[in-house]
């Protein structure tokens, strides 16, 4: 750690990991509810558990992104953070808002929550991923603006590297596109169109800028390759990501009442969406081959290398599999989508946050470069447990999805939804087993933070 | 000195390319105005398109000099596009 | 001789290309919203439909069901449920009303939301309106 | 000199970053062309009938304009290789004027189509015709912006025979815009 103010990243990372654990616990509950429909009913119905699962994911990733920003900005701009105090205040505000919201989901029926938080004044609740009460949404905007003010001021007074400009652009985009969550027209079709301006333009737009800049930062630090080369490729990759991804939004405009030309526009542009991910894989491995030093933090290296590979598989391959309109006609809204969503989110965003945590945490804890060998080995075990079980979750959900599409949509005598769900229960059981292994992997991951031993020396 | 002569000798083929492109375009227009269609006409149009794009890539874009790879990407691309269009038109007939 | 593959050119392409394609996306979106009235039949959005959408939202129905294919995949698609239930609002209302409070042993069950008659009518009207949106022939069959 | 020679053979003319962009753009246009061709094979009559409604003459004139504009850009590159900055800027200006003419004619075409009440949603043929030509139209505008930037810099003597990568970069992009139109014109306006 070169700058004192980088220390504010630490609580953000710790909170991220804590909420991650919560997310996975609820994921396991959901998986069980798929096969034991009355599990925890009516105390925690499926919709509540799912809301907790997805909202925790978003919130902990945001904690991770913010922590990454607070860690990276001082080091890149070569100046202390504008206001470390503000960063800490915002941390507590965001954590309190997040925890209170989750408690609200679990403690009272959703309709009651809507009522007591004044949803009638500005109705924004009850839409997928944007279930947060309106006041929580306002809180998110305030926290985001506070953070943006803080890091923008820091960047203004310091060195402006490409990595930091891309990160800043990504974070600003994140805040700006979130504003569309306040637009909730009475017309469902319009609602859906602009709902995607948050969801798609986040995960297949501005979040990719954040992903790219964190990956570039970690690669510079770990491989010692020339900044010029890494930043050049960063620009090329994110250019490809936005060129394909922005109009690629069209792959969500096939069947929601939008004009039919989107079937062409959406298909054509999302067909090239895997390219930036493929370039990212080539890029990351090339940089590692050209490395000028062997960084002692092998675990962080593993996460950093795993990110592009899993992002390419999850977002690129699994996305492409069902993105073309004629295929999507049959797969839209089935377990295929769930399969893609799981691996894409894990590969692209979970892993990059874990990569920066793995790189930064030892330094934040005052260690020279990396954790002890023992701790790193445990962390690498958790990498493989989580990654491999995620691959299996994805495969089982894909199997469930293919069978579902066949029985419910393509078959000459289509079966009803619930009947099909019974037929594919075996896949859900296997998914649940893989999910439990993922949870074990996560426990191993958390354990790795408590393993001492001789820490690694910084390399020469 | 050397440089100037290369430039001059590069320019002359480009002028010819320009004239060829103009003539071929007028030919395409004539075909269109006569409302012609069918296998032979489509084949001729595709060949002329291939020729035109080929010389734009080689001379205007200057891909003829330099590494073969960059040129081949475009050439292979053009062949694929043109032949696939031909295939699609053929499918449309049968 | 200057460098032949420069960071500044890559940066220009990133900013220029992104802005270009974003503007294009906005142009398409403008065209889409202009064309929308023919497809969403917004003239049929009555007060009941508006209330129905609100009931849909504050009970987090999307947390289990899909609507036009978006949502959770735990319970049936509802974009065409009006048609699946034989073009009957009563069937929808009857189904929602009859959900057991304690669920069904061993099986998935929709919670009992204790909706008022007005709310029930709203949600049924909302689902009826939704089933009439021109969705390019999706879903492939009545099962959703 | 030797160094610049090896560099030239290493990469195509211009900054390599633009070539990544060019290849990506060609890919998008290529998928569009093939989508058009295969969509047509499903519905030959509709495509043939709608095609007759297009203004072939203005399409051909626009082709001639773009080709000539491209040739002017070739002359501009040749000029800067001989260290003639002002001549280079003048050729670029001529190319830009032609690009403006292209845009004018294309706008006229769009307006007459629009006044017939035709839009992206009219039928599959018009969906493709409007999508592809408008997409290309936007590229012409972007190419114009690039050429203007290059011209202004050339005017101020910002390039030389030793260092003119910027001119080549703009030229390469402009030739790509031309290349795409050379395929687009016969495909959409003529082939039946």
């Amino acid at each position: 750690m070169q700058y004192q103010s980088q220390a504010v990243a630490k609580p953000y990372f710790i909170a991220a990991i804590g909420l991650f654990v919560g997310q996975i616990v609820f994921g396991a509950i959901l998986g069980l509810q798929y096969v034991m429909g009355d599990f925890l009913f009516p105390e925690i119905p499926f919709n509540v558990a799912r809301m907790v699962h997805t909202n925790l994911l978003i919130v902990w990733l945001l904690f991770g992104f913010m922590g990454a920003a607070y860690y990276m900005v001082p080091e890149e701009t070569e100046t202390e953070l504008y206001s470390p105090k503000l960063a800490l205040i915002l941390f507590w505000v965001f954590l309190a808002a997040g925890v209170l919201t989750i408690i609200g989901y679990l403690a009272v029926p959703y309709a009651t929550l809507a009522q007591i938080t004044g949803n009638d004044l500005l109705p924004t609740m009850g839409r997928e991923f944007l279930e947060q009460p309106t006041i929580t949404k306002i809180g998110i905007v305030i926290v985001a603006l506070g953070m943006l003010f803080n890091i923008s001021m820091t960047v203004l007074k310091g060195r402006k590297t490409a990595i930091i400009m891309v990160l800043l652009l990504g974070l600003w985009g994140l805040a700006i596109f979130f504003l569309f969550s306040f637009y909730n027209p009475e017309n469902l079709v319009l609602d859906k169109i602009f709902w995607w301006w948050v969801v798609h333009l986040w995960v297949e737009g501005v979040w990719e800028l954040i992903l790219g800049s964190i990956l570039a930062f970690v690669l510079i630090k770990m491989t010692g390759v020339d900044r010029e080369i890494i930043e050049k490729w960063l620009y090329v990759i994110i250019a490809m990501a936005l060129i394909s991804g922005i109009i690629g939004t069209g792959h969500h405009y096939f069947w929601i009442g939008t004009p039919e030309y989107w079937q062409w526009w959406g298909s054509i542009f999302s067909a090239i969406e895997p390219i930036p991910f493929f370039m990212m894989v080539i890029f990351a491995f090339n940089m590692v081959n050209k490395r000028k030093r062997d960084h002692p933090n092998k675990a962080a290296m593993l996460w950093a290398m795993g990110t592009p590979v899993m992002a390419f598989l999850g977002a690129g391959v699994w996305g492409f599999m069902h993105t073309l309109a004629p295929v999507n006609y049959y797969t839209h809204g089935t377990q295929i989508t769930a399969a893609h969503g799981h691996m894409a989110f894990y590969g692209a965003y979970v892993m990059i946050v874990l990569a920066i945590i793995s790189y930064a945490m030892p330094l934040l804890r005052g260690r020279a470069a990396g954790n002890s060998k023992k701790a790193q080995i445990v962390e690498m075990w958790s990498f493989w447990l989580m990654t491999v079980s995620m691959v299996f979750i994805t495969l089982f959900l894909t199997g469930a999805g293919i069978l579902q599409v066949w029985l419910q949509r393509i078959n000459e005598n289509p079966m009803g939804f619930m009947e099909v769900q019974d037929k594919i229960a075996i896949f859900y059981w296997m998914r649940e087993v893989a999910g439990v292994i993922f949870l074990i992997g996560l426990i191993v991951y958390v354990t790795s933070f408590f393993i001492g031993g001789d820490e690694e020396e910084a390399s020469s | 000195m050397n440089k100037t002569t290369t430039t001059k000798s590069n320019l002359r083929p480009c002028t010819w390319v320009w004239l060829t492109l103009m003539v071929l375009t007028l030919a395409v227009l004539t075909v269109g105005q006569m409302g012609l269609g069918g296998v032979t006409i489509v084949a001729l149009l595709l060949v002329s398109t291939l020729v035109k794009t080929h010389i734009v890539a080689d001379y205007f874009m200057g891909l003829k000099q330099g590494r073969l790879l960059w040129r081949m990407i475009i050439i292979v691309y053009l062949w694929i596009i043109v032949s696939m269009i031909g295939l699609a038109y053929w499918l449309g007939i049968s | 001789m200057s460098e032949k593959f420069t960071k500044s050119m890559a940066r220009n392409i990133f900013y220029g290309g992104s802005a270009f394609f974003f503007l294009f996306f906005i142009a398409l979106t403008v065209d889409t919203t202009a064309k929308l009235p023919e497809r969403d039949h917004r003239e049929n959005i009555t007060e009941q439909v508006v209330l129905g959408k609100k009931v849909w939202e504050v009970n987090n129905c999307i947390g289990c069901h899909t609507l036009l294919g978006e949502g959770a995949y735990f319970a049936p698609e509802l974009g065409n449920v009006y048609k699946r239930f034989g073009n009957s609002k009563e069937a929808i209302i009857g189904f929602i009303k009859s959900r057991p409070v304690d669920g069904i042993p061993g099986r998935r069950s929709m919670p009992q939301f204790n909706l008022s008659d007005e709310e029930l009518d709203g949600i049924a009207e909302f689902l009826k309106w939704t089933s009439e949106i021109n969705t390019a022939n999706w879903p492939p069959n009545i099962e959703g | 000199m030797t160094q610049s020679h090896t560099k030239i053979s290493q990469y195509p003319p211009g900054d390599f970053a633009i070539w990544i962009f060019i290849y990506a753009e060609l890919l998008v246009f290529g998928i569009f062309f093939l989508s058009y061709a295969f969509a047509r094979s499903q519905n030959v009559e509709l495509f043939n009938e709608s095609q007759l409604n297009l203004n072939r003459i203005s399409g051909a004139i626009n082709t001639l304009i773009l080709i000539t504009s491209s040739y002017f850009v070739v002359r501009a590159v040749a000029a800067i290789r001989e260290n003639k900055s002002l001549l280079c800027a003048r050729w670029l200006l001529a190319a830009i004027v032609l690009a403006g003419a292209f845009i004018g004619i294309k706008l006229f075409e769009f307006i007459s189509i629009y006044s017939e009440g035709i839009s992206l949603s009219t039928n599959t043929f018009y969906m493709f015709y409007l999508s592809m030509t408008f997409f290309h139209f936007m590229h012409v505008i972007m190419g114009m912006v690039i050429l203007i930037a290059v011209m202004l810099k050339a005017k101020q003597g910002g390039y030389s025979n030793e260092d003119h990568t910027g001119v080549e970069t703009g030229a390469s992009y402009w030739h790509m815009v031309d290349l795409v139109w050379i395929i687009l014109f016969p495909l959409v306006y003529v082939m039946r």
Side-chain angles (χ1 to χ4, degrees):
Chain A
M1 203 172 76
Q2 298 166 359
Y3 294 86
Q4 280 304 314
S5 53
Q6 284 178 293
V8 297
K10 198 172 169 183
Y12 280 88
F13 288 152
I14 294 170
I17 295 169
L19 297 173
F20 184 24
V21 174
Q23 186 218 342
I24 301 309
V25 168
F26 275 87
I29 292 173
L30 289 169
L32 205 53
Q33 286 181 332
Y34 255 94
V35 279
M36 294 168 57
D38 61 344
F39 182 63
L40 292 179
F41 193 90
E43 288 75 27
I44 307 179
F46 182 88
N47 63 341
V48 172
R50 182 181 194 263
M51 189 161 64
V52 175
H53 179 64
T54 56
N55 282 223
L56 277 177
L57 168 70
I58 296 167
V59 171
W60 87 257
L61 288 179
L62 290 180
F63 267 112
F65 290 163
M66 290 179 181
Y70 287 128
Y71 184 84
M72 285 161 62
V73 166
E75 206 163 309
E76 284 287 299
T77 58
E78 295 180 334
T79 169
E80 292 288 353
L81 203 59
Y82 177 75
S83 168
K85 202 180 215 172
L86 177 62
L88 280 177
I89 292 169
L90 291 175
F91 168 77
W92 289 109
V93 171
F94 194 36
L95 187 64
V99 170
L100 281 176
T101 303
I102 301 296
I103 291 174
Y105 288 163
L106 293 168
V108 293
Y110 191 68
T112 315
L113 184 66
Q115 205 182 7
I116 55 180
T117 56
N119 188 52
D120 283 340
L121 298 173
L122 177 60
T124 65
M125 291 173 73
R127 294 172 302 152
E128 196 185 4
F129 310 129
L130 304 181
E131 295 94 345
Q132 312 82 28
T134 305
I135 45 171
T136 305
K137 288 198 182 85
I138 294 170
I140 292 174
V141 171
I142 291 170
V143 169
L145 288 179
M147 177 200 64
L148 283 167
F149 169 74
N150 204 351
I151 58 175
S152 298
M153 292 305 282
T154 316
V155 172
L156 281 178
K157 69 181 170 117
R159 186 173 68 139
K160 292 155 193 70
T161 65
I163 287 179
I164 237 50
M165 295 316 281
V166 172
L167 178 70
L168 207 54
L169 192 65
L171 292 169
W172 272 104
L174 188 154
I176 287 165
F177 287 116
F178 185 67
L179 295 178
F180 283 94
S181 72
F182 291 95
Y183 176 61
N184 182 13
E186 289 164 351
N187 184 339
L188 180 72
V189 181
L190 270 180
D191 177 6
K192 280 176 176 288
I193 287 175
F194 289 101
W195 178 80
W196 283 115
W197 281 53
V198 186
V199 177
H200 178 92
L201 293 180
W202 263 17
V203 298
E204 283 166 70
V206 290
W207 283 26
E208 287 190 47
L209 306 185
I210 300 171
L211 158 68
S213 64
I214 298 177
L215 185 64
F217 175 81
V218 173
L219 285 176
I220 286 184
K221 296 292 163 189
M222 303 209 68
T223 63
V225 172
D226 205 5
R227 173 180 289 275
E228 280 296 304
I229 297 173
I230 288 190
E231 291 187 333
K232 180 162 80 184
W233 281 103
L234 169 66
Y235 274 131
V236 170
I237 289 169
I238 56 173
M240 290 298 292
L242 290 196
I243 286 168
S244 59
I246 291 173
I247 298 185
T249 315
H251 62 220
H252 302 296
Y253 293 168
F254 294 162
W255 327 112
I256 59 168
T258 31
E260 273 146 58
Y261 57 77
W262 282 110
Q263 290 178 28
W264 292 99
W265 281 93
S267 300
I268 289 170
F269 277 86
S270 53
I272 55 172
E273 276 191 61
I275 294 176
F277 287 105
F278 185 68
M279 287 168 84
M280 206 185 287
V281 177
I282 306 284
F283 160 71
F285 279 86
N286 251 321
M287 292 307 115
V288 172
N289 280 339
K290 284 187 187 164
R291 69 182 178 275
K292 293 186 177 146
R293 60 162 113 57
D294 279 311
H295 198 281
N297 193 341
K298 302 275 183 267
M301 193 58 137
L302 189 59
W303 287 112
M305 290 294 101
T307 303
V309 174
M310 294 303 289
F312 172 66
L313 280 179
V317 177
W318 251 263
F320 182 76
M321 214 162 70
H322 60 135
T323 198
L324 300 179
V327 178
N328 192 260
Y329 183 66
Y330 292 101
T331 62
H332 180 54
T334 63
Q335 294 298 327
I336 302 275
T337 320
H340 159 62
H342 277 83
M343 203 201 252
F345 256 100
Y346 176 74
Y349 298 118
V350 171
M351 288 179 83
I352 195 64
V353 170
L354 296 187
I356 184 76
I357 290 178
S358 184
Y359 169 76
M361 228 19 191
L363 303 167
L364 287 169
R365 296 168 90 190
R367 296 176 181 169
N371 292 324
S372 69
K373 272 230 166 57
K374 251 188 345 195
Q376 284 197 37
I377 288 171
V378 174
E379 192 183 340
M380 288 197 263
W381 265 97
S382 78
F383 170 93
W384 289 111
L385 279 170
M386 286 196 271
T387 305
V388 171
S389 58
M390 182 50 81
V391 169
F392 277 101
I393 288 174
T394 307
L395 287 174
F396 294 143
L397 286 177
T398 308
I402 291 171
L403 203 55
Q404 182 188 13
V405 167
W406 173 252
L407 294 173
Q408 191 184 320
R409 299 236 170 113
I410 296 181
N411 215 343
E412 276 178 41
N413 304 306
M415 285 183 200
F417 179 91
M418 291 311 292
E419 207 183 334
V420 171
Q421 293 297 307
D422 285 340
K423 298 264 183 216
I424 58 182
I426 180 73
F427 285 105
Y428 293 142
W429 274 113
M430 293 193 290
R431 185 269 300 266
E432 180 66 357
V433 171
V436 169
I437 294 172
F438 189 96
L439 181 59
I440 293 169
L442 179 58
I443 294 167
V444 173
Y445 175 75
V446 174
T447 317
S448 76
F449 285 89
F450 300 99
I451 291 174
D454 299 330
E455 61 195 59
E456 293 289 320
E457 292 300 319
S459 64
S460 50
Chain B
M1 265 316 269
N2 199 5
K3 190 131 199 169
T4 320
T5 46
T6 13
T7 315
K8 280 265 160 62
S9 64
N10 277 344
L11 208 48
R12 199 168 302 121
C14 283
T15 309
W16 280 110
V17 165
W18 173 54
L19 291 171
T20 315
L21 291 172
M22 300 292 271
V23 170
L24 283 176
T25 303
L26 289 171
V28 171
L29 175 66
T30 315
V31 169
Q33 288 306 78
M34 291 163 74
L36 297 176
V39 187
T40 331
I41 293 297
V42 167
L44 280 174
L45 288 172
L46 286 174
V47 169
S48 90
T49 305
L50 192 58
V51 170
K52 284 157 82 181
T53 49
H54 223 293
I55 55 182
V56 167
D58 279 352
Y59 295 95
F60 280 13
M61 289 177 140
L63 288 177
K64 202 161 187 182
Q65 296 120 344
R67 238 173 106 181
L68 192 62
L69 173 67
W70 312 123
R71 183 175 173 224
M72 285 320 285
I73 293 177
I74 299 260
I75 301 301
V76 169
Y77 166 85
L78 291 173
W79 277 88
I80 290 176
I81 293 290
V82 167
S83 56
M84 293 289 274
I85 292 174
L87 174 70
Y89 271 73
W90 187 73
L91 285 177
I93 291 167
S94 53
Chain C
M1 197 67 199
S2 57
E3 182 68 42
K4 285 286 276 183
F5 179 14
T6 60
K7 188 168 90 181
S8 65
M9 184 55 71
R11 185 197 58 215
N12 293 347
I13 287 172
F14 165 65
Y15 284 114
S18 307
F20 177 84
F21 281 90
F22 191 65
L23 285 176
F24 213 95
F25 181 57
I26 289 175
L28 285 171
T29 306
V30 168
D31 182 87
T32 297
T33 47
K35 278 280 161 341
L36 224 46
E38 295 167 22
R39 302 180 65 91
D40 60 21
H41 306 294
R42 59 187 62 178
E43 69 279 4
N44 297 335
I45 301 182
T46 57
E47 260 172 58
Q48 283 96 322
V49 174
V50 173
L51 173 71
K53 184 166 185 276
K54 208 192 113 193
V55 174
W56 168 270
E57 284 167 1
V58 298
N59 289 289
N60 193 28
C61 306
I62 203 85
C64 292
H65 293 279
T66 49
L67 189 64
L68 305 185
E70 291 163 3
Y73 319 111
F74 188 70
E77 161 69 30
L78 296 186
N80 65 345
V81 70
Y82 175 75
K83 292 175 179 165
R84 185 157 66 242
F85 278 15
N87 296 325
S88 164
K89 275 168 54 183
E90 289 69 35
I92 294 173
I93 292 170
F95 186 90
I96 299 174
K97 266 175 137 171
S98 67
R99 293 304 90 199
V101 178
D102 291 320
I104 308 163
R107 298 193 58 80
R108 303 178 195 176
S109 171
M110 184 163 138
Q112 174 53 258
F113 289 106
N114 300 315
L115 301 177
S116 70
D117 286 346
E118 199 189 351
E119 288 171 324
L120 285 166
D121 189 56
I123 195 89
E125 283 288 343
F126 171 65
L127 291 173
K128 175 173 181 287
W129 172 77
T130 306
S131 74
E132 285 155 5
I133 295 170
N134 181 351
T135 55
N137 227 0
W138 193 90
N141 63 47
I142 197 69
E143 297 298 347
Chain D
M1 211 62 243
T2 35
Q3 199 205 358
S4 80
H5 258 285
T6 49
K7 284 251 160 125
I8 281 171
S9 58
Q10 196 65 37
Y11 286 126
D15 195 298
F16 187 67
I18 200 76
W19 280 92
I20 299 176
F21 192 50
I22 287 174
Y23 290 136
E25 295 262 50
L26 284 177
L27 185 63
V28 176
F29 273 109
I31 305 174
F32 258 121
F33 294 153
L34 295 186
S35 303
Y36 170 90
F38 283 97
R40 179 190 175 277
S41 72
Q42 305 295 312
N43 208 342
V44 178
E45 272 175 37
L46 172 82
F47 274 60
N48 279 354
E49 193 188 327
S50 308
Q51 192 183 51
L52 289 177
N53 194 32
L54 299 186
N55 192 338
R56 226 170 296 108
I57 304 272
S58 73
I61 292 173
N62 262 346
T63 315
L64 298 177
I65 285 175
L66 267 197
I67 288 169
T68 310
S69 173
S70 229
Y71 175 68
F72 288 174
V73 168
V74 170
R75 301 295 302 240
V77 173
I80 199 64
R81 282 194 181 140
E82 293 177 26
N83 231 347
K84 294 173 182 160
S85 288
L86 280 182
L87 187 64
C88 169
R90 236 171 273 154
W91 280 116
L92 285 173
L93 180 65
I96 292 162
V97 169
L98 285 181
F102 179 97
I103 287 178
I105 294 173
K106 201 76 222 161
L107 271 180
F108 164 75
E109 227 176 288
F110 282 140
I111 289 167
S112 70
I113 288 272
Y114 181 76
S115 62
E116 287 176 50
I118 291 168
S119 75
L120 277 171
S121 304
T122 301
N123 65 35
T124 315
F125 176 82
Y126 283 115
M127 195 287 290
F128 274 110
Y129 165 76
L130 287 172
S131 293
M132 295 198 296
T133 54
F134 188 66
F135 192 47
H136 180 268
F137 177 80
M138 296 284 283
H139 279 80
V140 175
I141 293 177
M142 179 143 84
M144 243 174 112
V145 171
I146 294 172
L147 289 185
I148 289 171
V150 174
M151 180 191 72
L152 292 177
K153 193 172 170 190
K155 229 179 199 165
Q156 293 159 356
Y159 300 108
S160 65
N161 63 340
E162 284 293 301
D163 178 13
H164 55 267
T165 312
V167 184
E168 288 182 340
T169 305
S172 298
Y173 187 78
W174 191 243
H175 294 318
M176 186 275 287
V177 174
D178 182 27
L179 184 91
V180 168
W181 183 260
I182 289 176
I183 306 176
L184 213 167
F185 170 63
L187 180 67
V188 178
Y189 285 79
V190 180
M191 256 182 237
R192 47 195 300 110

